[in-house]
Amino acid sequence: MSIISFRQRVYTIAQQIPKGKVATYGQLAKMAGSPRAARAVGMSMKCNPDASIIPCHRVVASNGRLVGYAFGGIQTKKQKLLNEGVAFIKDTVDLNVSQWRVTI
DNA sequence: AGATTGACCGTGT
DNA sequence: GACACGGCCAATC
């Protein structure tokens, strides 16, 4: 089943997040096959080799809050998202509008 | 092999 | 709405 590591799966999924949308850590965990592994997802993002191939800035907490970004901090992360047209409410993403929804 | 850690999440007060 | 607590999973020491 899992020939590739959990981390690898997370990366693959993260790359599918469309521009202008965001996904939550829990959401990715669920998609990767471990619904409760949100923390592990966070680690994967932290260890991610390159932001240009893995859009880790499109991953936010379940409440839309921006947490962590290893390529310049929260500010940079927010700027990138704003630049992509993600809807913000103060410092949190409006998930109602900008969450990545996998339409059946 | 065991313990610790971390870019989390849900629930209760 | 803010704060505290516990649980969860994979990677790392």
Side-chain angles (χ1 to χ4, degrees):
Chain A
M1 197 61 163
S2 52
I3 333 169
I4 57 179
S5 68
F6 174 82
R7 200 160 82 183
Q8 199 62 50
R9 268 181 307 194
V10 172
Y11 288 155
T12 304
I13 297 173
Q15 292 179 74
Q16 322 254 332
I17 306 176
K19 182 184 175 190
K21 292 288 180 182
V22 302
T24 69
Y25 294 94
Q27 185 180 354
L28 289 186
K30 191 167 162 188
M31 291 176 173
S34 302
R36 308 267 138 64
R39 301 186 85 142
V41 172
M43 285 215 315
S44 302
M45 289 298 132
K46 180 181 176 184
C47 297
N48 108 62
D50 193 338
S52 62
I53 63 175
I54 300 168
C56 51
H57 62 277
R58 299 194 187 132
V59 185
V60 303
S62 65
N63 57 353
R65 195 82 180 278
L66 268 56
V67 292
Y69 189 59
F71 296 89
I74 305 299
Q75 299 300 326
T76 306
K77 188 168 177 177
K78 183 180 178 184
Q79 279 308 316
K80 277 177 168 280
L81 292 176
L82 283 175
N83 198 31
E84 292 185 356
V86 172
F88 265 84
I89 301 176
K90 292 197 168 208
D91 278 335
T92 69
V93 173
D94 187 347
L95 291 176
N96 260 345
V97 178
S98 301
Q99 177 165 29
W100 177 35
R101 303 197 173 154
V102 191
T103 48
I104 45 177

